Amino acid sequence: MNAILEMRSITKTFPGVKALRDVNLVVKQGEIHAICGENGAGKSTLMKVLSGVYPFGSYEGEIVYEGETRRFDRIADSEHVGIIIIHQELALVPLLSIAENIFLGNEPAKFGVINWSQAYNRAKALLKKVGLKEPPTALITNLGIGKQQLVEIAKALAKQVKLLILDEPTASLNEADSDALLKLLVEFRNQGITSILISHKLNELAKVADSITVLRDGTTVETIDCHSEKISEGRIIKSMVGREMSDRYPQRQPKIGETLFEIKKWRVEHPIHAGREVIKSVDLHVNRGEIVGIAGLMGAGRTELAMSVFGRAYGRNVRGEAFMDGAAIDISSIQKAVAVGVAYVTEDRKTLGLVLNEDIKNNVTLANLPAVAWRGVIDDAREQQVANRYRTSLKIRSSGIFQRALNLSGGNQQKVVLSKWLFAQPKVLILDEPTRGIDVGAKYEIYTIINELADAGKGVIMISSEMPELLGICDRIYVMNEGRFVDEMPAAGATQEKIMASIMREYGTVQ
Amino acid sequence: MKHEATPLPGSEEAEARAAVWSSSLRDYGLLFSLLVIMGFFYFLTNGVSIAPLNLTNLILQNSYVVIMALGMLLIIVSGNIDLSVGSIVGFVGGVAATMMVGFHMPILDVDVKTSWEVAVLVSLVLGALIGCMQGYFVAYARIPAFIVTLGGMLIFRGLTGNLLLGQFVGPFPREFQDISAGFLPELTNIPALHALIGDSHFRYGTMAIGILAVAIMILSGLRRWQRARAEAMDVEPFALFAGRTAIFSALVLFFSYQLAQWKGLPEVLIIMLVLILIYAFVTTRMTVGRRIYALGGNRLAAQLSGIRTERLIFLTFVNMGVLAGLAGLIVAARLNSATPSAGLSFELDVIAACFIGGASASGGVGKVMGVVIGAFVMGVMNNGMSIYGLGIYWQQVVKGIVLLAAVFIDIYQKNKG
Ligand SMILES: Nc1ncnc2c1ncn2[C@@H]1O[C@H](COP(=O)(O)OP(=O)(O)OP(=O)(O)O)[C@@H](O)[C@H]1O
Ligand SMILES: [Mg+2]
């Protein structure tokens, strides 16, 4: 097999940061080539160089594609030769239909007049190829994130893709959706389409990849050929972080106290469709020093529940009672929720979590400005101290606390959002997919922080689509499905199978 | 498991310094443009543009644009716009004029005539009420600011016409006129100093204040620079800092010298400077300011951080109303009468000043100093072109081009950087 792509000693510098130095990448024709590395290692940057997001001239080095040296001045240039990138953050237009999105900028048209019947027919064929059972007229907003991901892939196929780049495509997918997507990649491989896959889910990589290139601190560590040696997660981790990692979850002796926070008969209606209950009478409690998990499939209503608890940030006609330390509390607005000590770390860091234009410092202190201010006047020195403290303790990789959030790598953005709520010093912390897009090493650090919070007597509620993670760090797990808690179990003794079984029992189809 | 700290990926010292240089230069580019424009008009008008009388006029003419631009900055930063300020200027000026000159109140059948102090107070409260009304519609009723204030623009312009019935209303008491036409009392009026200085036409007091201001500026600037260097790593290079301070000091000294040759410090200049300082402080150092920027940068994230976004937006409009009311008083005092067309199309100058000054139309970005300089760019051009005798229509063409050019350069640099 010869190489379809060779990137030779690529160096890319941002003001104050050398994101890539002398990186080499060789991708063979028709393989699935995985790229992994810690947050901020330069994975996304490398792919942006390849796809012309960073145009020729803004980096050093050489790109050889299909045997020719190429210079891409814009994304259209790389798309023209069949390199299609699907970015870490999806780029679909929410209020347009599937078909409109698939052909956006690439419409089947004559003299600027779109041939809609052709568009719909081709869209149908493409959707079938990616295994998405939705009409091409469905609006993107009405699709779950897994289906949106498939639309992105269909969009890539519409452009005659030869080299498909996926930047953390499965980060926000549950296991079933991830598997479907990986199967699709394998199918593409059989059809001769080459893929580059970036992921922090190492088990996936071990499953499908033909070769794995590992980046660390902007340099290539090695490229592992998966056919010449047996690949385990441990092998990849060692290459990524430069040493063995014996435990994936930190040890902890839970010291569980009294009930700290409780909601009873919590009901929430859909914000637009009045009367349609999204959350149907949920009872939940968390004790001091306890980490409670909420498991469930995509669309089970976990985020909706969390956000409705957090000052009715979601839904209408929120009904039910809430208690802190046994006393009824008012959490009817976000300010009130924050005031009584409830915090919510969103899963959607870009649209709900960060002010992208502002620096790390301003984002970290935003939810608790009074703590660094005196009579409304911000104490700059104290604020910088706080920001530096979180930057160090969460290892936020950046050129300093004045780096804008926009320029951080995805995983480091997540750490900034987490810092913001840690600094707000809540009693009850609701974490919604806190480790999405975070590398193994940093995950361990975040688990450690969660444990420390629990040990300090706080209550932690954790939503996660990664069941091993819930099993690994929670004390108790609620299982949620279709707006209800369908089961509750101590984490000791729980298994993925048991959780799945309680979800499926709801459908009457135990697997 | 232990995790040793990994160093930054290749943070080369020199590169970091280059980055700071380029970002600082962007900030000072504006100041530089102002100097260039001033120099341009200096030659075009054979030096008239910086003569003492004209500089004084420039400040008087420009003060209300600067004052309103401070409020407009907050509104634009929060992601909104206010088109109604010109009409508020006219309306508030008209109400103040009517109260001072006297009118007949039909319901009670009495003639009412108030002192100028009452008129000023009522005007500012009126400005605040107008701001409350528009702020309510924007913040709580969630009608886009463009629409609400477009309505306000029509409503208050129309009300002004109805109130004044197409006539000039004036003149006003001396004290009221002094808001715009007054100067700080001179030192030579103090007998002891008079004996010392003698009968000089030069306003030593004004010059002294100018020198004092420069001294304070240099010292506090130096202290801040040193503290920043001690605490953080991203400080502007000393050469840049020194250069900027030198230019600013020279400008201030030159202005004071010229003003001292005429009538001294205009009172309205003092009002303006105090307001600039207050707003610079609020936007950079206070929690409210920080929250307004966060709100403009990402409203949802700000909301989910526990910030009362509605209330903040409401407050920015109330604030704008008060400042527009104040501007209305200044304009009326300057003309010594209220007219139905007072403040016509002021909103355009004010909004242009903000955008020239580097505010972003999508919210979240903008600095007080930038906006003040932006307002002076507009002012210097207005003034210089009038002296030169350029027709009013060509003036508009030039201003439009400068606005576009300024924003183009700003965005071009940002995309490149
Ligand atoms: N526009 C930019 N300006 C400045 N620095 C940047 C910019 N984009 C990326 N960086 C920096 O470059 C480094 C590499 O970022 P990149 O996004 O490639 O990381 P990544 O490997 O994709 O990480 P993650 O797994 O978190 O997505 C980071 O340190 C980041 O802060
Ligand atoms: Mg990335």
Side-chain angles (χ1 to χ4, degrees):
Chain A
M1 272 193 298
N2 46 354
I4 183 172
L5 170 77
E6 245 183 277
M7 298 180 79
R8 294 190 190 138
S9 63
I10 303 288
T11 297
K12 170 77 190 166
T13 315
F14 295 110
V17 186
K18 206 166 222 174
L20 299 173
R21 61 177 93 200
D22 276 330
V23 171
N24 293 302
L25 176 70
V26 181
V27 179
K28 285 184 229 137
Q29 173 69 44
E31 71 170 347
I32 296 179
H33 193 113
I35 299 184
C36 56
E38 297 181 300
N39 296 126
K43 304 178 295 293
S44 300
T45 306
L46 186 65
M47 292 305 108
K48 286 179 186 166
V49 165
L50 171 58
S51 55
V53 174
Y54 301 133
F56 180 83
S58 70
Y59 59 88
E60 290 151 43
E62 201 182 10
I63 298 175
V64 180
Y65 174 72
E66 292 188 317
E68 274 177 58
T69 307
R70 309 275 179 161
R71 43 177 299 175
F72 302 130
D73 295 320
R74 57 189 75 82
I75 302 172
D77 291 353
S78 67
E79 288 192 347
H80 188 70
V81 295
I83 302 178
I84 311 284
I85 182 165
I86 298 176
H87 288 284
Q88 197 159 357
E89 327 286 335
L90 296 183
L92 296 170
V93 185
L95 288 178
L96 291 186
S97 71
I98 293 181
E100 282 168 317
N101 268 286
I102 288 181
F103 294 110
L104 196 63
N106 188 21
E107 297 88 353
K110 255 208 186 94
F111 305 116
V113 181
I114 301 178
N115 182 344
W116 278 117
S117 65
Q118 192 191 341
Y120 281 121
N121 284 333
R122 277 182 57 196
K124 246 183 237 158
L126 290 168
L127 291 182
K128 201 165 154 207
K129 247 189 190 165
V130 298
L132 178 58
K133 291 183 197 71
E134 290 281 341
T137 45
L139 296 189
I140 296 294
T141 43
N142 299 335
L143 302 183
I145 229 163
K147 289 181 176 173
Q148 292 189 18
Q149 193 68 256
L150 293 177
V151 174
E152 280 274 15
I153 294 177
K155 189 174 163 186
L157 291 180
K159 291 178 188 158
Q160 311 296 331
V161 60
K162 290 184 199 155
L163 175 60
L164 180 64
I165 305 169
L166 300 120
D167 196 349
E168 300 195 33
T170 57
S172 37
L173 301 191
N174 62 29
E175 214 139 317
D177 285 347
S178 296
D179 279 345
L181 192 131
L182 294 177
K183 231 179 258 158
L184 201 59
L185 287 189
V186 172
E187 207 165 292
F188 287 170
R189 175 171 60 189
N190 299 337
Q191 295 167 15
I193 298 174
T194 316
S195 324
I196 296 180
L197 174 65
I198 298 180
S199 177
H200 288 294
K201 297 187 178 169
L202 304 178
N203 55 341
E204 297 178 346
L205 300 186
K207 246 187 275 176
V208 300
D210 298 303
S211 0
I212 301 174
T213 294
V214 180
L215 295 185
R216 195 194 309 153
D217 288 349
T219 56
T220 332
V221 179
E222 62 172 334
T223 296
I224 310 170
D225 181 352
C226 307
H227 298 297
S228 63
E229 59 179 302
K230 187 81 199 86
I231 293 303
S232 67
E233 285 181 51
R235 166 79 177 81
I236 306 175
I237 293 172
K238 190 174 161 221
S239 177
M240 270 172 65
V241 298
R243 69 198 131 71
E244 306 265 0
M245 234 177 99
S246 44
D247 275 317
R248 296 288 282 277
Y249 304 101
Q251 293 300 320
R252 155 165 167 267
Q253 290 302 326
K255 292 185 286 288
I256 295 172
E258 311 269 277
T259 303
L260 175 63
F261 176 73
E262 188 167 19
I263 53 170
K264 282 186 184 158
K265 298 206 172 61
W266 201 257
R267 293 165 177 276
V268 182
E269 286 176 19
H270 192 278
I272 301 167
H273 307 292
R276 196 175 108 198
E277 282 206 332
V278 181
I279 305 297
K280 301 156 190 158
S281 193
V282 163
D283 293 334
L284 171 152
H285 73 273
V286 56
N287 300 333
R288 283 180 185 283
E290 190 183 31
I291 304 174
V292 176
I294 306 181
L297 300 179
M298 196 67 54
R302 295 168 300 170
T303 295
E304 289 77 2
L305 170 66
M307 286 184 73
S308 68
V309 169
F310 187 57
R312 299 189 183 162
Y314 171 88
R316 60 157 75 182
N317 273 339
V318 177
R319 277 162 296 170
E321 298 163 281
F323 304 88
M324 183 77 79
D325 287 320
I329 49 169
D330 178 5
I331 46 174
S332 59
S333 76
I334 295 174
Q335 291 79 35
K336 286 175 184 160
V338 173
V340 295
V342 179
Y344 168 69
V345 180
T346 170
E347 62 172 338
D348 188 349
R349 56 186 171 238
K350 280 221 163 148
T351 48
L352 302 180
L354 290 169
V355 186
L356 288 169
N357 222 344
E358 305 227 342
D359 56 22
I360 296 180
K361 168 179 73 81
N362 289 4
N363 273 295
V364 167
T365 54
L366 188 61
N368 196 10
L369 272 177
V372 290
W374 188 75
R375 297 204 173 170
V377 179
I378 297 170
D379 179 345
D380 284 339
R382 190 138 53 112
E383 189 185 24
Q384 292 180 18
Q385 257 171 22
V386 167
N388 272 316
R389 194 170 79 223
Y390 283 102
R391 174 168 173 260
T392 327
S393 66
L394 270 74
K395 301 197 175 62
I396 300 173
R397 188 166 304 188
S398 53
S399 59
I401 54 170
F402 298 108
Q403 183 169 351
R404 290 199 302 166
L406 183 67
N407 295 338
L408 292 174
S409 80
N412 285 301
Q413 289 180 336
Q414 181 71 33
K415 293 186 196 170
V416 174
V417 180
L418 193 58
S419 305
K420 172 170 85 178
W421 287 110
L422 290 179
F423 179 57
Q425 327 258 309
K427 290 187 198 161
V428 178
L429 188 64
I430 309 175
L431 300 164
D432 198 348
E433 307 282 0
T435 62
R436 167 179 300 173
I438 287 201
D439 69 57
V440 267
K443 268 186 190 161
Y444 190 92
E445 281 147 22
I446 287 178
Y447 299 146
T448 311
I449 290 167
I450 293 175
N451 283 351
E452 280 166 10
L453 285 173
D455 290 343
K458 322 225 155 176
V460 179
I461 301 170
M462 172 143 164
I463 297 171
S464 174
S465 298
E466 285 186 50
M467 280 187 225
E469 172 175 275
L470 289 180
L471 296 169
I473 75 160
C474 293
D475 301 312
R476 187 158 53 89
I477 296 175
Y478 289 106
V479 182
M480 189 165 189
N481 193 35
E482 304 210 313
R484 270 196 197 91
F485 279 179
V486 294
D487 208 349
E488 178 186 346
M489 57 184 87
T495 59
Q496 294 200 44
E497 289 70 30
K498 262 174 93 175
I499 294 175
M500 279 316 286
S502 2
I503 294 174
M504 290 306 168
R505 197 163 44 234
E506 274 294 293
Y507 296 114
T509 52
V510 183
Q511 285 189 335
Chain B
M1 189 194 83
K2 279 227 305 282
H3 196 301
E4 58 270 25
T6 38
L8 274 171
S11 76
E12 258 90 41
E13 186 103 346
E15 279 158 17
R17 209 173 312 131
V20 179
W21 260 98
S22 78
S23 88
S24 310
L25 278 179
R26 184 187 303 155
D27 286 353
Y28 305 141
L30 198 59
L31 185 58
F32 184 72
S33 319
L34 177 61
L35 287 178
V36 169
I37 292 175
M38 283 175 74
F40 177 72
F41 282 110
Y42 172 81
F43 285 111
L44 204 64
T45 61
N46 294 321
V48 177
S49 71
I50 59 162
L53 166 64
N54 189 54
L55 271 192
T56 308
N57 267 338
L58 176 67
I59 288 172
L60 296 181
Q61 279 169 6
N62 218 16
S63 54
Y64 39 82
V65 176
V66 173
I67 289 173
M68 285 193 284
L70 294 172
M72 189 67 78
L73 172 68
L74 296 189
I75 291 202
I76 289 179
V77 162
S78 74
N80 292 304
I81 193 87
D82 190 343
L83 301 174
S84 68
V85 292
S87 298
I88 301 179
V89 163
F91 183 58
V92 170
V95 169
T98 315
M99 286 175 69
M100 282 184 290
V101 171
F103 63 101
H104 184 80
M105 195 184 273
I107 307 165
L108 302 174
D109 198 24
V110 284
D111 282 321
V112 182
K113 184 172 172 170
T114 66
S115 70
W116 70 274
E117 291 98 330
V118 172
V120 165
L121 199 72
V122 170
S123 297
L124 294 179
V125 171
L126 179 63
L129 286 177
I130 293 174
C132 286
M133 184 199 83
Q134 303 200 108
Y136 168 80
F137 284 119
V138 176
Y140 296 104
R142 293 183 178 258
I143 303 174
F146 191 94
I147 298 172
V148 170
T149 59
L150 186 64
M153 178 175 161
L154 294 169
I155 293 169
F156 297 111
R157 181 58 60 197
L159 286 179
T160 314
N162 278 331
L163 180 70
L164 301 178
L165 296 171
Q167 285 170 350
F168 286 50
V169 176
F172 307 133
R174 181 78 235 164
E175 297 87 342
F176 182 76
Q177 289 179 45
D178 274 350
I179 296 177
S180 249
F183 292 84
L184 224 58
E186 231 344 281
L187 292 178
T188 41
N189 294 349
I190 304 170
L193 282 172
H194 186 238
L196 198 71
I197 301 169
D199 256 339
S200 165
H201 203 73
F202 191 75
R203 306 287 178 141
Y204 286 97
T206 298
M207 197 63 219
I209 291 178
I211 294 174
L212 193 71
V214 166
I216 293 177
M217 197 170 75
I218 294 179
L219 287 179
S220 71
L222 257 181
R223 235 191 52 201
R224 200 147 6 113
W225 187 84
Q226 276 173 335
R227 237 186 54 185
R229 194 182 50 176
E231 277 159 8
M233 25 199 242
D234 290 359
V235 286
E236 57 182 321
F238 188 77
L240 252 186
F241 166 75
R244 175 183 57 129
T245 314
I247 294 179
F248 250 130
S249 309
L251 262 180
V252 172
L253 288 178
F254 176 72
F255 259 72
S256 334
Y257 181 75
Q258 295 295 75
L259 292 181
Q261 289 189 20
W262 186 245
K263 288 185 181 167
L265 275 184
E267 279 172 22
V268 66
L269 177 62
I270 312 264
I271 300 180
M272 186 174 99
L273 288 178
V274 170
L275 285 174
I276 291 174
L277 288 179
I278 292 176
Y279 280 84
F281 186 79
V282 170
T283 50
T284 57
R285 297 291 311 280
M286 294 194 63
T287 52
V288 218
R290 176 70 62 77
R291 287 172 176 159
I292 291 176
Y293 281 78
L295 152 70
N298 185 345
R299 181 167 181 171
L300 288 173
Q303 233 161 15
L304 280 180
S305 298
I307 291 171
R308 284 184 220 188
T309 51
E310 282 94 3
R311 203 182 60 163
L312 268 186
I313 293 176
F314 178 76
L315 288 178
T316 59
F317 275 93
V318 176
N319 172 65
M320 183 73 249
V322 175
L323 290 180
L326 176 61
L329 292 173
I330 294 174
V331 171
R334 183 168 157 69
L335 301 176
N336 197 13
S337 70
T339 75
S341 66
L344 199 64
S345 76
F346 275 16
E347 61 278 350
L348 301 181
D349 277 0
V350 173
I351 293 169
C354 289
F355 290 138
I356 290 179
S360 154
S362 48
V365 179
K367 286 184 188 158
V368 165
M369 268 336 278
V371 163
V372 170
I373 296 175
F376 269 93
V377 167
M378 291 300 281
V380 169
M381 287 197 315
N382 278 335
N383 177 276
M385 290 189 294
S386 303
I387 298 175
Y388 180 70
L390 195 65
I392 182 97
Y393 300 120
W394 281 114
Q395 291 193 17
Q396 289 179 349
V397 173
V398 173
K399 284 197 287 187
I401 292 175
V402 168
L403 169 65
L404 265 179
V407 176
F408 175 78
I409 293 172
D410 197 37
I411 288 183
Y412 178 77
Q413 279 177 332
K414 266 179 206 148
N415 287 343
K416 212 180 54 178

